[in-house]
Structures are given as C-alpha cells and as structure tokens.
Amino acid sequence: MSNRVLVFDTTLRDGEQSPGVRLSVTEKIEIGRQLVDLGVDIIEAGFPISSPGDFESVHTLATELKGVTVCGLTRAREKDIEVAAEALKPAERRRIHTGLGVSENHLQFKLKMTADQALETGVRAVKHARKFTDDIEYFMEDSGRADPDYVYRVVEEVIKAGATTINVPDTTGYTYPNEYYHLIKGIIENVPNSDKAIFSCHCHNDLGMATANTLAGVMGGARQVEVTVNGIGERAGNTALEEVIMALYIRSDKFHCQTGVDTKKLLPISRMVAKLTGMVVQRNKAVVGANAYAHSSGIHQDGVLKDRSTYEIIDPLLVGADRSEIILTARSGRHGLKFRLHEMGFDFNADRFEHLYNEFVKMADTKQEVDEEDLRELVNK
Ligand code: KIV
Ligand code: ZN
C-alpha cells in the first residue's frame, strides 16, 4: 500500500454548503488558486447541475486551474453526469464524483428504493460517467450508518463498473474512530477487487469527531482524505484540512504517510477562506486559531521560554505563523513579563522589576490582556 495520502479539497462544494456562505466565481478562483499553491491533489469545484452559477464556477475553475484534478459532484443521474462532464471539459485533469445513499435510512426515506435498485442505479451512473472520463469517484452516502455487507457489495460492483476512487462518507457524523477504522479496513479486506481503487474518507463533524475519524480511516487503509479549509461545511462542518495535514505530519511516527501539502501555506489560506466566507475561525481552533500558539499562564510561559517544546507540539513557523506568543494576563508570571519587557528593550534591576511586577498584577486584574501600550504606561509610571 502506498504511503501517499491524496488531499481532496471540497471547500468550494461541501464547504460552500455552509449556511450563510456564498462565494462569487472570482472568490472561488482566488481560493482555487491558493489551494493549488497549497498542494492539494483534487479540488471539488461544485455541483454543476445545481444552478447555472455553479455550472459557471466549475467551468471557470476547470479552465483556470492547472496542475490539479478538478472534480464535479453529481447525483447518480444521466443528466447530472452529462452537465458535470460539460462543465469539466476544459480541465487538464477531470473527475466525476457520483453516487447515492447506502444506509437503510437513506434507501427507505430519501431514495425510496430497494437496496438492489440503488445498486443498479449506482452501477449505471458509473458506466455512464466513464464515457466522459476514466477518473470516477463513487460516493456511498451515509456509509457510517449502513450495513457493511451491503457496502461491500456496492463497492465490488461499482469498481467493476469503472469507479477508481471509492468515497466512504460518514455523512451524518455518526461514527466514532474505531468504527470508522473498521469500516474502511473491512471494505479493503472483504471486497475482492478492492486493490483496484483508492478509498476516501469523507467525515462530518456533528459529534466533533471528523478529524479523528478521518485519521482512523487512514490507519484503516484509506489513501484519500476529503477536507475543507477551517472545517467549514454543512451543519457542524467537514473535516478540517489543516488538522488532518498537521496530524499526519506531527504524528508521522504512527501514520508513516505523506501528502503534497506545503504546511507553511496553511495559515494564509485559512485567513483567506475566513475572510471570503465570513466564517470566523474560533480563537482556540486547532492549528490556525489565534490562540493556537499563544501562552498566557505563568506556568506555561515559564516552560515555553525555557524550551518551546514543553507546551508546543507544532512549531508555529511550520504553518506560516510568525512565532509563539506570550500573552500577558492576570495568570501570567514574572518570566512572561520579563520576556515581554526585554522584547521591548527594557531590562530592570531586581528591585525595580519587582515593583513593576506588582503594578502589572494590579493592572492585569482589571483587563483581559495587558498589551504593549499598557506595558509602556507601567514603565513610564
Ligand atoms: O457528506 C456526504 O455524504 C457528501 C456526499 C455528497 C459526498 O457530501
Ligand atoms: Zn459531505
């Protein structure tokens, strides 16, 4: 099994499905170009049949983006596939992403089909899509709640029909890591032709487990991850690109896998997507949040100032951040204050420093943060 994990970015499709988000074609191109620069392998540009605007976006991205596979989503319907194929025509490399539900819930309530009818529909869709490209990804919606034996049957048949990537979505964010690991591993071990396809993790974050499940899927043998920048997406969102990339990198001792992503570009793209979508990144968000490399308590500051590795497993430079920050609050101690004063060019003897520290503590109790301006005021006094 290869140790290269493909990164399939769906910020512009599943991410854009976030309630309240609407990106113009120009904004999509801006994000698309930055995704190429970041080093993702596949960009899901949209769902071409869903609206003329989405068709235009996919067509424009397919025209403009070079050095990446551009993908369009379709339902398992001929018309959808033909429209997607048309939108993707100018792409250097194009992928059609088709499929339908596999859980009893989706079969009964949404598709109103028997399992056999859904399987036949899926196989027909793959065969039709193969007329336009040989890069076909098949999604089995709601795999996380499906009967694994049915999933195995579907996988075997759609691979025979020509699917080259099999997406195993935990559409509702229902599974937990051990379950998702066994789902992927079970497919690879039980489907006779599983060596003919790449398996892909597509996890939603309803229970806050999207990243953990995606990583569990990689452990189980998946070699593609479907992610969005900042984890934006339907409901509680999709798997966050930056979290998966950094987890694979920092814990390479466990995963032994590589991606083509340039980690130094993670923070710039996170900021760009937040700005263009209006989806603000929470301060304590892993990897790209404003507090991710900030230390405010005295105990932590003491450790980090002696050696960064005491409280930081990611070097901020690795993700494109400037450096770790020492934030002064009422919980900070002498080491942090001394460090910040030194940075500003002030070094005091022990008595004067002690006096300043006492004044600092009084001020810190009245504020969320003592900033540089406050420090100057203290020093001037
Ligand atoms: O979550 C999901 O199942 C999806 C599919 C359409 C791939 O987004
Ligand atoms: Zn999804």
Side-chain angles (χ1 to χ4, degrees), residues 99-147:
L100 77 170
V102 288
S103 68
E104 192 45 44
N105 180 297
H106 277 221
L107 291 170
Q108 194 183 332
F109 298 123
K110 184 181 152 187
L111 301 169
K112 303 195 188 305
M113 286 182 187
T114 65
D116 285 342
Q117 284 167 338
L119 176 51
E120 275 166 37
T121 307
V123 165
R124 256 200 321 273
V126 172
K127 287 186 176 157
H128 193 56
R130 278 296 296 230
K131 294 176 192 156
F132 306 98
T133 170
D134 53 12
D135 187 348
I136 308 296
E137 174 164 339
Y138 189 81
F139 69 82
M140 301 180 292
E141 204 176 7
D142 205 17
S143 293
R145 293 190 295 172
D147 168 10

Side-chain angles (χ1 to χ4, degrees), residues 181-233:
Y181 165 83
H182 284 291
L183 177 58
I184 298 284
K185 196 164 188 282
I187 294 173
I188 293 173
E189 286 176 358
N190 288 291
V191 174
N193 54 359
S194 67
D195 60 320
K196 307 266 183 311
I198 288 176
F199 292 88
S200 184
C201 309
H202 179 114
C203 299
H204 280 266
N205 206 29
D206 299 67
L207 291 172
M209 290 191 279
T211 297
N213 284 339
T214 297
L215 294 168
V218 172
M219 284 280 189
R223 285 297 174 265
Q224 180 177 284
V225 290
E226 306 204 359
V227 289
T228 62
V229 175
N230 300 334
I232 63 169

Side-chain angles (χ1 to χ4, degrees), residues 35-57:
L35 285 169
V36 174
D37 201 37
L38 180 71
V40 307
D41 301 281
I42 303 111
I43 292 178
E44 188 165 49
F47 181 10
I49 204 168
S50 65
S51 73
D54 227 41
F55 179 92
E56 191 202 335
S57 299

Side-chain angles (χ1 to χ4, degrees), residues 6-10 35 39-45 68-72 93 95 135 137 165 224-225 227:
L6 299 172
V7 178
F8 176 113
D9 183 276
T10 183
L35 285 169
V40 307
D41 301 281
I42 303 111
I43 292 178
E44 188 165 49
V68 74
T69 298
V70 182
C71 173
R93 297 199 294 268
R95 173 177 296 187
D135 187 348
E137 174 164 339
T165 301
Q224 180 177 284
V225 290
V227 289

Side-chain angles (χ1 to χ4, degrees), residues 13-14 202 204 238:
R13 198 278 296 170
D14 224 345
H202 179 114
H204 280 266
N238 287 60

